[in-house]
Amino acid sequence: MMEEELNGFVKTKPCTHILYCYHNIDMYIKKVTAYLVDGVKSGETVILIESEKNLNAMNERLKADLTDDQMKRVHIISNFDFYLSSGSYHPPAIYEQLMKIYTPYFNGDTPFRTWTNVEWGALENPAHIVDWFEKETDKLVNEQQLTLVCAYEAEKMPADMQAILEQSHPHIMTDEDLIESTLHNKIKL
């Protein structure tokens, strides 16, 4: 099953930036919750940046698998609030938001992992904006040794976006598979 493969992969590569282009929402919700539950049960704090429409189903699954004390290690942030905090999809403002969220964990005793469902609102062609943000995020992942999944709904992606995203993510996940990106550009730190 793919959820176990993802969690096993994360354990062997504690610093990774994974692109997940999903098609099936039920599979997506299973993967998210399995990733978060595995993180909490491994002693990590988990940060979920997710759309409001998916949160009810995810919360039900999380509450079924985690105790009330374990649920305190799950930090949920609305992706609408996160990505549109400046009033529009503005990468430097989003990156600043990301740093506000992560900074308290950088030198803490508790490891953490993040899952982010990326949405860009009404922008017609967000590829160049998303490209800048994801490259900066990939640098941060490497500098701080983070574990981060960036999820994108495949049907809403412009045609050129996946190739652009594969350049800033060393690992690519689909509903069925997890592979290395052949397009990933190693970013020099």
Side-chain angles (χ1 to χ4, degrees):
M1 182 177 283
M2 189 59 206
E3 293 83 24
E4 287 85 14
E5 182 183 352
L6 171 60
N7 290 327
F9 177 80
V10 168
K11 283 180 178 33
T12 63
K13 295 205 183 265
C15 168
T16 191
H17 190 196
I18 301 170
L19 169 65
Y20 178 22
C21 297
Y22 65 94
H23 293 274
N24 181 309
I25 191 65
D26 293 327
M27 178 71 72
Y28 173 79
I29 290 172
K30 279 183 185 176
K31 285 182 192 253
V32 174
T33 53
Y35 176 84
L36 298 176
V37 167
D38 183 70
V40 169
K41 289 187 175 183
S42 297
E44 298 172 327
T45 294
V46 295
I47 299 167
L48 173 63
I49 302 172
E50 183 58 67
S51 72
E52 299 285 335
K53 68 183 179 200
N54 296 334
L55 287 176
N56 285 340
M58 290 176 188
N59 269 324
E60 285 179 30
R61 293 183 90 122
L62 291 170
K63 288 179 180 176
D65 291 335
L66 299 173
T67 66
D68 289 343
D69 279 345
Q70 288 173 321
M71 281 297 293
K72 292 176 185 171
R73 297 181 84 167
V74 178
H75 300 279
I76 299 172
I77 299 161
S78 160
N79 70 351
F80 179 81
D81 294 340
F82 180 77
Y83 288 108
L84 300 175
S85 61
S86 66
S88 66
Y89 193 99
H90 183 63
I94 297 166
Y95 191 78
E96 187 176 319
Q97 280 288 100
L98 187 68
M99 293 307 293
K100 284 180 188 175
I101 292 166
Y102 285 172
T103 299
Y105 297 102
F106 285 155
N107 294 316
D109 295 333
T110 305
F112 70 99
R113 63 173 73 177
T114 304
W115 184 290
T116 302
N117 186 353
V118 182
E119 295 180 327
W120 48 81
L123 284 178
E124 284 194 32
N125 189 2
H128 69 286
I129 295 170
V130 171
D131 181 43
W132 179 91
F133 179 74
E134 289 288 4
K135 285 179 179 170
E136 290 302 307
T137 301
D138 198 48
K139 287 179 194 174
L140 180 66
V141 164
N142 288 295
E143 289 168 359
Q144 297 294 331
Q145 299 293 293
L146 304 178
T147 301
L148 172 60
V149 175
C150 298
Y152 291 79
E153 187 173 356
E155 291 176 15
K156 293 184 179 178
M157 287 177 55
D160 62 338
M161 177 106 56
Q162 183 153 351
I164 288 169
L165 289 170
E166 287 185 24
Q167 293 174 23
S168 58
H169 293 81
H171 301 96
I172 310 301
M173 184 166 54
T174 65
D175 290 337
E176 298 85 25
D177 210 0
L178 177 62
I179 60 171
E180 285 193 35
S181 171
T182 58
L183 299 177
H184 182 253
N185 295 326
K186 297 287 182 195
I187 297 171
K188 299 206 184 331
L189 302 176

